[in-house]
Amino acid sequence: MSEYILEMKNITKEFPGVKALDKVNFKVKKGEIHCLIGENGSGKSTLMKVLSGFHKYGSYDGEIIFEGEKQQFNSIYDSEKIGIITIYQELALIPELTIYENIFLGHEIKNKGMIDWNKTTSESEKVLKKLGYELDTSKKIKDFGVGIQQIIEIAKALSKNVKLLVLDEPTSSLNETDSENLLRIVKELKKQGITSILISHKLNEILEVADTITILRDGLTIKTIENNENITENEIIKHMVGREITDIYPKRDSNIGEKLFEVKNWKAFDTKNERYVVKSANFNVKKGEIVGIAGLIGAGRTELAHSIFGNPDDYKISGELYFEGEKRNFKSTSDAIKTGIAYVSEDRKGNGLILDFDIKTNITVANLKKIIKNKMFVNENEEVIVAQDYRKSLKIKSYSIEQKVLNLSGGNQQKVSLAKWLFVSPKLLILDEPTRGIDVGAKHEIYSIMNELVKEGMSIIMISSELPEVLGMSDRVYVMSGGKITGELSKEEATQEKIMVLAVDY
Amino acid sequence: MKKVLLALLAIFAVTIFSVDVGIVLPTKDEPRWVQDEARFKSALNDTNYSVEVLFSQGSSAKERQNVEALLSKGIKVLIICPQDAVAAAGTVNLAKKAGVEVISYDRLVTNTNSVDYYVTFDSVEVGRAQGRFLVDHASGKNNPLYLYAGALSDNNAFLFFQGAWEVLQPKIADGTFRIINSTEAQNLKNKKNLSREETSKIINQITTDWSFTVARRKAEDNLTRARRTDKGNVFILAPNDGTARAIADAFKQDRDVKSYYVTGQDAEKASIQYIISGKQSMTVFKDVRLLVKDAINVAQFLLKGVKLITPQAYDNGSKMVPAIQSEIQVVTKDNVKKILIDSKYYKDSDFRW
Amino acid sequence: MFNEIGTLLKKNIREYGMYIALAIIMLIFSVLTNGLFLSARNISNLFNQMGYIAVLAVGMTLVIVIRHIDLSVGFGSGFLGAAAAILLMNHNVPVLPTVIIVTLLGIAMWLVIGFLVSYIGIPSFVVTLAGMMVFRGALLVSTEKSGTIIILNDTFNIIGNGYIPDFFHGEYIHITTLLIGVLIVLFYIYSDIKSRNNKMKYNFEVLSVPVFIVKLILMSSIIMYVFWILANYNGLSWTVVIVLIVTLIYHIFTTKTALGRHIYAVGGNPEAAKLSGISLNKITLFVFGSMGFLTALSGILYASRFQSATPTAGASFELDAIAAAFVGGASAAGGVGKVTNSIVGAIVMASLINGMNLIGVGISYQYIIRGAVLVAAVIFDIKTRSKAS
Amino acid sequence: MFNEIGTLLKKNIREYGMYIALAIIMLIFSVLTNGLFLSARNISNLFNQMGYIAVLAVGMTLVIVIRHIDLSVGFGSGFLGAAAAILLMNHNVPVLPTVIIVTLLGIAMWLVIGFLVSYIGIPSFVVTLAGMMVFRGALLVSTEKSGTIIILNDTFNIIGNGYIPDFFHGEYIHITTLLIGVLIVLFYIYSDIKSRNNKMKYNFEVLSVPVFIVKLILMSSIIMYVFWILANYNGLSWTVVIVLIVTLIYHIFTTKTALGRHIYAVGGNPEAAKLSGISLNKITLFVFGSMGFLTALSGILYASRFQSATPTAGASFELDAIAAAFVGGASAAGGVGKVTNSIVGAIVMASLINGMNLIGVGISYQYIIRGAVLVAAVIFDIKTRSKAS
Ligand SMILES: Nc1ncnc2c1ncn2[C@@H]1O[C@H](COP(=O)(O)OP(=O)(O)OP(=O)(O)O)[C@@H](O)[C@H]1O
Ligand SMILES: Nc1ncnc2c1ncn2[C@@H]1O[C@H](COP(=O)(O)OP(=O)(O)OP(=O)(O)O)[C@@H](O)[C@H]1O
Ligand SMILES: O[C@@H]1[C@@H](O)[C@H](O)OC[C@H]1O
Ligand SMILES: [Mg+2]
Ligand SMILES: [Mg+2]
């Protein structure tokens, strides 16, 4: 038997209009952690979906050899049967079902044809404990945040007979601590002899855990390299994007003005779930400033952002909000927008964009009145101009502004989302995880845009779970924990350690 | 909240204590049965029996529910006009089993021994009256005849059509009438006694579904199809008043229709107005008061334990059911005042003369 | 102990909500009818009246759980009833083969519907609206020859009209029925104790002994009371037996089997279910197939009850079934809905009609009140749900 | 030039799909009826027959776009028609106030429905199912006294039966109608040229001159042909005028105004729309309010056409309106659906009934064929859509 547990040879996969994979070769050694990297849309997820049988045998060209044998998977069920377990980029959990039901979904523990719920429960608890978690498994998934959900996904994988574990961007929605925890688990599994394929855009993690790295670009295998001390991030980036990026966080000369925005004694109570999502927040933003908000998952940063952005979730709110020195009371999101605030959502697919609509309608939807003529009708010609301008200035890759955003890659979707909010000409732009799940090239472009914007006098609040990004981009950093702002750090003071200390401070 | 509900229900409550006579009528969707309800209520005001009227809304299931509710309340006499004469058999059997006397009202429940009496207008006779009216007003040959019928799902529609066909068919065969709008009827024009299946075929084509919408559309489409020579002075068999008005409206709008005779039945107020205005030619008046009076008379005797002997009897497939038959009357513009107003069935002021 | 009961109630208010609503309605009608509503005879009637809707409601629940709807079950049921009548009367097919053929026919037809919905991707609303028209037409064609088709077959007709025989010939009371009640209670107590012990083996939290006993006694008395009432009239009807069996099977199926849980997974998040290796298309086919099976059953129950097949049979059954499922807490957003609750929903709606009939509420107001109660029930459900979570 | 036309067709096949389907159906019936189907008189009838469904279909399209459904419009329309009849006949209210009161009543009632759907969060299916029952009851109550209420008011009755006057008293042809046709064509040409020039000002790509002229001539001829046909019978009926105006207003509203766009945004992704500052609740209220307005209009058209209000008025209109919208390509997944296409969908379904009536197809088969065509049309739509994208 060869040293490779998996060999994928000459895999070609086409979608109508796109060649997602072009004769890709991909080999994974037994027992290693193999990282798969590449720009958005380079074909990583597609390759893994071919491997798992999500894309059926016959819908692609090429062959898959697992443990020395040729495989023809007709469904996910087939690949799981022989030990290939995939955790997809889109989490595969059912919100209305309990943890234990989710963990054993698709491979239920049966006794005389009936599901043995007691055993299911105790087994679920066992797997979770193995991962270092003790949870009430009879709670529904919808009661947990993404961090826990990701852990449950892993528990689900481990509850199966797993030989090869595929993780598609498991850490993209996790913060530092949870990411580390997860990587620790992956290394732990390696010790137990489980091979892993890990897809990630976070190069630091990759260098930390990978034994081997394969880089994809535009559906082609670019290179497979052993991970050793000689490899640098810059080198990998060069292979990924095909050019060199010297500094991911571009330099900027701050030109900070007077206070633009401030909240005092801010509290938000979620009446549906009967808990405070924001317990206490006092913070401000100055003109031309980028303010970072760091914190762990569940710290309440998104909720804080929503609560100041006209409160679309109908929290019960108390406290004061000042904008340009005046006390404001937003009755609705549209009030907030009118005042000059914009919010780019962390979840571009879920609540950021209308995926079935084209680029131009998405860009103008939040501020149609800007292109109204005769006080009544939308000027569609003007709309086209606007969209084309943004497409050019933000370098949105698409064949036209009439393309559905559904078919754009993550980075480009993020840019459309950004364009939509720039079109409302905000004075304060709130970016929630602006670079989640997007590749370094696109990240760099977004950072550059941010710099441009503050140079023009806009203020930015950047919520981010990636500490390097927070440190690299912010003029000032607030840290949130358990619904409270637990500290403020100036650019000079801020370090990873100090932020972490505040982030776990309750 | 609970109090409000209680109060609300109490308002609609007619009576909760035991009821002597239970009446179940087919549907409130057809104005005809609303009239029956009103007449029953006013007739029973004069007696000291308690009654309750329930509607089945076109469903045999609801009808059974209604009967069961009435039985639970301990009625002694059930007056029922079945939604479906066949499907109601089981329902009246239940009543009989509970010791209740059953009067079949207007429509005869078939294939059961549980019916004690039948009070009726003869539905076949209604059709005959409609046919006769058209025949009486036709002279010469080749008069265009348009046929319409009730719903395929309603057995009465078959009885009406059967009666009308009986009278019309010879006149079609001898060339007095020419059927314009039904190829199926045309094919069977030499057959006097149609089988159920043959009638079905015809009704399938000329049905109004008892609906205005369908009736008017069908009339308009028939007129589109008809040649100019198929129009002129036309004769229309319309099964009841509602459809007659819808059909008449369509014919009135056609430039090539010079005059029309259109039948109807039920003497609905709306149609009486049409007759007065000359837009509908006739309606078959079934004086519901007579039927109601007969039904109540029988019921009162039954409550007193007296069994009536009736002059007639109908075969319902299981037994000969003693029957009391009421006369129907043909109402036209000429006699409308005499028949409906002078008899106080309607008020003079209900209409614009 | 009272504390424990308190938390128990709070935790499960969502589930008990339904039962509370039913209790309130029953109470009101009992008062308004001087107890007539709860009389043996009336309760027995009530159950028999809703049999053919109840089985539809069970199937509809699953259809709604996977985010679909089925408007075709009404006339579909009417048509399948007519098919049974034709087989029995025109072709002299015996009862058992008739029932089997009609059931298979129902399944086959609904597999076509399921295929159009899943593989072709037409919205279920459209497919079943079309199905409604087609079945309506087909029903008219089937009854064209003879009008309403009379079914003269006692074995068949007993399904919808008969009661189980009393082997003990009780004079005033139906002893077999009582006995079945006792057996059910014993089985209930046995399985509840077993499941509690099982849980204790796994060291899970369980109810404390006194609370557990209170629960057992309460539930047992309710069951016994219902059977007592039924035994006081004619005993258990075959309709009730069939509905009970269907409910039991579907209850176990949906809560205990993998396939059953997969249905809820698909309803809760189709994409995620797919990634967990569950085939959406197959689940959809299955759920519609089951709907076809139950529609056939409903058609048979109805035809048997009326000993005939009428041209209007089935009209608007679909709306009653859908209303029952929604009143029972099924959610149009998918993934939520219990078959047992839908049965309770069906009882609620049937009680309403029955109660109003007893009081003598006119039909016009009956419609208005039914509409109002439907909305009220769902508001109640939404409110208790948001409080519970 | 032919190349350009080719790409044009390919790009817009989705939109033309509907028209192609309509053309096919019309062709088939024309052949089967020896051209009768396309006769002046029949086309005129066809349009008048579908007026009250067409306005409902327009409103239903928006309801479907925001992922809801409205089952209450049928009996709602019947009830509002009865309200009009009662005002006119029992209270001697003149026509204009009657129309205004009924319209306001419709809007008010549907705002309640919209409120229950949006603010309270009950599924629209449930609310409108309840509404259906309530309106049915209310309609029965309204017509209880006198049965069918006959409307003796010529002004009112002309809405559903009359034609616009011919000021020029053409003997064989309705000159005013022709004139209106010409005006519409002129306006169409003018605005198309203006929009083309406008685009050129922005340096956008536009059709080449020959192709543009071909398009203008084609569209103008179709419009003129329809008006010519109508002019050959009685001219434009008031019903058609009303439907045209409603369609035009809603078309402009949905495609050109911010509010219209917001409706589609809410349908496309409610969460995203909310975060874009669009109030879901207000949009939902608005869409149902508009449905109420159109339901009132439909009720008036129907009552006027039949010069009366009957206890069954409106039964199953909702299904016809929903079918029209779906045949017109509205998507149950939300965000997709054009009012103009729904009108075409309504014409398709009406043509079917009309054509089958002309041929003399029996009612049973009519139901079956309508169901089949409904499914076929939606499959066709799905297929052309997936090809187009
Ligand atoms: N189901 C599909 N239909 C059409 N195109 C698809 C589909 N799935 C993927 N693609 C296309 O295939 C290409 C590769 O996509 P894939 O999801 O594999 O990228 P990726 O490397 O995982 O990107 P990311 O880092 O953003 O997750 C992209 O151009 C994408 O748009
Ligand atoms: N105490 C809690 N119990 C259950 N769920 C919680 C709790 N706190 C937070 N969550 C859930 O965790 C999720 C993340 O919370 P939130 O969005 O506030 O975090 P965040 O700081 O914005 O993190 P991120 O946006 O990076 O996920 C939310 O969906 C929330 O419902
Ligand atoms: O009186 C008629 C009734 O007998 C029939 O069944 O339905 C229509 C009515 O007009
Ligand atoms: Mg990916
Ligand atoms: Mg967040």
Side-chain angles (χ1 to χ4, degrees), chain B residues 27-31 34 37 57 152 183-184 201 203-205 207 209-214 216-218 220-226 231 242 245-246 249-250 253-256 268-271 273-274 277 279 352, chain D residues 32-33 36 39 41-42 45 49-50 52 89 92 136 140 143-148 150 152 160-161 163 232-234 302 305-308 310-312 317 350 353-354 357-367:
Chain B
T27 179
K28 211 162 188 170
D29 287 344
E30 286 160 19
V34 182
E37 182 192 26
Q57 296 310 97
L152 204 50
T183 48
E184 300 287 357
K201 280 220 178 88
I203 295 183
N204 216 323
Q205 222 174 21
T207 181
D209 247 353
W210 291 130
S211 145
F212 284 29
T213 326
V214 175
R216 172 134 177 204
R217 273 193 177 194
K218 193 148 278 178
E220 283 175 350
D221 294 343
N222 290 156
L223 284 169
T224 301
R225 169 132 213 158
K231 298 178 185 173
R245 294 193 303 274
D249 287 345
Q253 283 200 356
D254 193 292
R255 289 186 211 155
D256 299 325
E268 266 186 55
K269 265 189 195 166
S271 273
Q273 185 64 59
Y274 261 53
S277 320
K279 292 198 269 184
R352 303 197 185 174
Chain D
L32 289 178
T33 60
L36 201 59
S39 68
R41 156 185 211 129
N42 194 53
N45 279 346
Q49 286 167 359
M50 52 159 265
Y52 49 89
M89 299 309 294
N92 289 316
R136 182 174 192 180
L140 285 179
T143 53
E144 212 157 40
K145 260 194 217 137
S146 51
T148 300
I150 185 155
L152 300 166
N161 293 292
Y163 293 81
N232 257 300
Y233 189 56
N234 290 330
Y302 187 83
R305 180 165 163 81
F306 291 93
Q307 306 171 25
S308 59
T310 58
T312 50
F317 287 6
I353 300 178
N354 172 283
N357 271 344
L358 286 182
I359 303 176
V361 177
I363 187 95
S364 336
Y365 298 100
Q366 286 202 12
Y367 279 122

Side-chain angles (χ1 to χ4, degrees), chain A residues 19 36 96 149 169 280 304 306 318-319 355 411 417 419 476:
Chain A
K19 201 171 211 174
L36 187 57
E96 281 288 344
Q149 291 187 5
E169 293 194 42
S280 123
L304 172 64
H306 279 209
S318 63
L355 295 176
S417 208
R476 219 153 32 99

Side-chain angles (χ1 to χ4, degrees), chain A residues 297-298 300-303 343 346 432-433 436 463 465:
Chain A
I297 291 282
R301 296 164 299 170
T302 299
E303 282 86 345
Y343 169 73
E346 63 180 329
D432 196 351
E433 307 286 4
R436 169 179 293 174
I463 297 171
S465 302

Side-chain angles (χ1 to χ4, degrees), chain C residues 139-155:
Chain C
L139 173 58
L140 285 179
V141 173
S142 335
T143 52
E144 210 160 48
K145 264 196 209 139
S146 50
T148 298
I149 305 166
I150 310 176
I151 301 175
L152 299 166
N153 182 319
D154 290 340
T155 324

Side-chain angles (χ1 to χ4, degrees), chain A residues 15-16 18 20 38-47 55 89 168-169 201 407 409-410 437:
Chain A
F15 293 110
V18 212
E39 285 180 288
N40 292 121
S42 55
K44 306 179 295 292
S45 299
T46 307
L47 187 64
H55 296 311
Q89 198 168 349
D168 194 349
E169 293 194 42
H201 290 293
N407 301 327
S409 76

